[in-house]
Amino acid sequence: MADLSVNFAGVYSPNPFWLASAPPTNTGEQIMRAFDMGWGGAVWKSLSDPIINVSSRLAGTDAGARRMAGLSNIELSTDRSLEVNFKEMREVKRRYPKHAVIASVMMPAERPLWVDLVKRTLDTGCDALELNFGCPHGMPERGMGAAIGQHPELAEQITSWVKEVSHVPVLVKLTPNVTDVAFVARAARDGGADALVLVNTITSIGGVDLDTFTPRPSVSGRSSRSGYCGPAIKPIALFQVSRVAQSGANLPISGIGGIETWRDAAEFILLGSTTVQVCTSVMHYGYRIIDDLCDGLSNYLDEKGLPNVDALCGLALPKIGAWEELDLNYKVVASIDQETCIGCGNCYVACRDGGHQAIIAARHEGRTRVEVDESRCVGCNLCSLICPVHDCITMEDRSPDLPPRSWRDVLAGKGKTAEVTDGT
Ligand SMILES: Cc1cc2nc3c(=O)[nH]c(=O)nc-3n(C[C@H](O)[C@H](O)[C@H](O)COP(=O)(O)O)c2cc1C
């Protein structure tokens, strides 16, 4: 059986699954229950001062019948006093010495404020600090959260203040609301960060009530920009994690963003994460999803013959490069399995109106069926993505017998590219 335990920048955890700083980590009671159910670590709900919040706080984005594919929130830091949080954190660490207990902290960019909060937090015996440079709502207006994460110099400066006083690893949580996350990642490294955590939420408006014209979530008829998270943000988070992994920052990464199943987690690990954190899925389904996460990842590692999480970490990264390195001679076309096709016509309409008119309606043995005109198919994948029948439309390799040729090769006058046919 693969070993799921990890050593993340000096923080030991029985498995790579941590609860992200959010409502699932509001209290010691919750975190201890989560540890009992199998979670390896927890990043405590962000501590700050003063403590202020509004009601209501959340807006969901449904995707068809799927509820809360995305979640927007305008919650700030903890609702409870620092003293109560410290007391419970101390208790959790005492009772669960082998689990990772990480304290999330955020303050405005003033050294004494950071030093004071950090020192008081360290007294709890927590295993690490996570600096919240990512909250995109409410906090930036007061010079906190994303206001720091959007300024590399500030991020570096504050990280170094914390490093001066911290005897435990300092994790920096980054905001995705930047042009290029690599700059802040390297700045945090220069400030002395021991690890990077991403993503925090993406700036959003959760929706608009069409009767009252009030954006969601509504606070007495008004709203504000919110932070978006949940399954809908996974592709953005995966990119950002890979970007940081390839940024040269050279620090361990804790990946976050829409993780719901072990497969999601494995993708984050393949792109360079050593631990992963989960918020929305636990808010939706509860702590019990940890069973699937642990069993699934453990079986997957076994299947792949990998002894531990470290062996999986980053294996997909060498396969991400610049567009101009891609092989222009590679060619796929759609293939429709007539045995399993239910004749819904979705692929025909999508390809006709939103694609390349490569799917035709043909008469066959007295009935109409959809077929692919390979001379028009550019291999975009669209039909296979919308087909309601699993594996009914697959993409088949029709590459010519030519060596790979990239756009770089074309510019350098090297190699030969297959003739492009568009069926006209
Ligand atoms: C209601 C709510 C409150 C949150 N509070 C915090 C917080 O206090 N500190 C923090 O760093 N991130 C906070 N987050 C962000 C999460 O930790 C996480 O980065 C984000 O939700 C993406 O993960 P997910 O897609 O699994 O939800 C919060 C998210 C939600 C939905």
Side-chain angles (χ1 to χ4, degrees):
M1 274 270 283
D3 176 14
L4 286 188
S5 69
V6 290
N7 179 344
F8 182 78
V11 179
Y12 173 83
S13 178
N15 62 54
F17 300 110
W18 294 0
L19 293 166
S21 174
T25 60
N26 268 336
T27 69
E29 182 277 330
Q30 283 172 284
I31 292 174
M32 290 192 283
R33 205 153 34 82
F35 285 168
D36 286 341
M37 289 179 77
W39 289 86
V43 185
W44 210 275
K45 172 73 192 170
S46 286
L47 306 175
S48 189
D49 202 14
I51 288 162
I52 37 169
N53 264 309
V54 290
S55 167
S56 66
R57 302 180 189 180
L58 306 176
T61 301
D62 300 338
R66 210 281 187 200
R67 303 235 51 203
M68 220 162 86
L71 175 66
S72 299
N73 89 89
I74 52 172
E75 177 173 288
L76 305 188
S77 45
T78 176
D79 286 303
R80 303 166 336 127
S81 76
L82 291 179
E83 287 65 32
V84 169
N85 278 294
F86 290 150
K87 182 169 160 281
E88 293 180 11
M89 203 180 286
R90 198 170 288 119
E91 176 71 3
V92 173
K93 193 61 240 178
R94 189 181 64 76
R95 289 175 55 179
Y96 293 80
K98 296 203 168 123
H99 287 70
V101 178
I102 292 108
S104 168
V105 283
M106 73 175 146
M107 274 289 171
E110 289 175 43
R111 192 176 186 283
L113 296 178
W114 275 95
V115 168
D116 177 60
L117 179 62
V118 162
K119 282 188 172 162
R120 289 164 69 198
T121 306
L122 288 174
D123 274 350
T124 62
C126 61
D127 297 302
L129 296 169
E130 186 179 276
L131 314 188
N132 181 348
F133 292 171
C135 184
H137 47 83
M139 293 310 200
E141 292 87 326
R142 290 188 276 141
M144 298 158 81
I148 296 168
Q150 287 165 340
H151 291 94
E153 308 77 29
L154 216 47
E156 178 181 341
Q157 175 76 83
I158 294 172
T159 307
S160 69
W161 292 340
V162 175
K163 277 298 285 183
E164 278 171 33
V165 287
S166 176
H167 59 272
V168 298
V170 174
L171 286 41
V172 170
K173 186 169 179 182
L174 303 170
T175 172
N177 302 306
V178 288
T179 313
D180 186 350
V181 70
F183 288 95
V184 199
R186 288 190 292 259
R189 187 261 331 262
D190 293 344
D194 296 286
L196 299 168
V197 180
L198 71 162
V199 295
N200 208 310
T201 51
I202 299 169
T203 314
S204 67
I205 292 284
V208 182
D209 185 309
L210 297 183
D211 291 323
T212 63
F213 311 150
T214 309
R216 299 191 181 97
S218 161
V219 180
S220 186
R222 286 181 64 81
S223 193
S224 186
R225 65 181 166 178
S226 47
Y228 196 49
C229 52
I233 73 159
K234 192 184 90 175
I236 301 168
L238 286 175
F239 163 69
Q240 299 244 339
V241 164
S242 73
R243 178 77 186 130
V244 168
Q246 294 182 324
S247 69
N250 273 330
L251 292 176
I253 296 171
S254 187
I256 321 179
I259 295 169
E260 195 166 277
T261 68
W262 70 265
R263 289 172 185 276
D264 301 325
E267 290 178 61
F268 275 85
I269 296 167
L270 282 164
L271 289 173
S273 310
T274 306
T275 59
V276 291
Q277 301 186 22
V278 182
C279 163
T280 303
S281 300
V282 168
M283 291 178 72
H284 199 154
Y285 304 110
Y287 299 130
R288 61 194 162 144
I289 64 168
I290 189 62
D291 291 340
D292 163 78
L293 292 171
C294 283
D295 293 350
L297 184 65
S298 172
N299 291 338
Y300 176 65
L301 289 174
D302 288 346
E303 255 173 55
K304 293 286 172 202
L306 298 169
N308 51 38
V309 176
D310 278 343
L312 187 68
C313 180
L315 291 187
L317 287 172
K319 299 195 179 205
I320 304 176
W323 183 93
E324 60 259 36
E325 292 164 1
L326 299 177
D327 179 12
L328 299 171
N329 277 338
Y330 179 69
K331 163 90 174 153
V332 287
V333 295
S335 167
I336 301 169
D337 177 3
Q338 298 296 342
E339 294 292 308
T340 54
C341 175
I342 55 171
C344 67
N346 287 355
C347 60
Y348 171 77
V349 173
C351 187
R352 182 191 63 191
D353 298 352
H356 301 265
Q357 302 80 50
I359 295 185
I360 50 173
R363 291 298 287 173
H364 181 81
E365 294 178 356
R367 67 180 186 100
T368 304
R369 70 177 200 183
V370 284
E371 290 178 1
V372 177
D373 175 353
E374 292 197 6
S375 71
R376 298 192 72 109
C377 180
V378 301
C380 72
N381 288 345
L382 176 63
C383 54
S384 69
L385 301 179
I386 57 135
C387 178
V389 181
H390 186 63
D391 272 353
C392 173
I393 302 184
T394 49
M395 305 306 289
E396 308 283 326
D397 193 339
R398 295 281 189 280
S399 303
D401 193 14
L402 286 172
R405 190 184 194 212
S406 68
W407 180 242
R408 277 198 193 143
D409 295 329
V410 175
L411 293 179
K414 283 198 258 166
K416 189 165 177 279
T417 309
E419 225 172 87
V420 178
T421 55
D422 66 358
T424 49

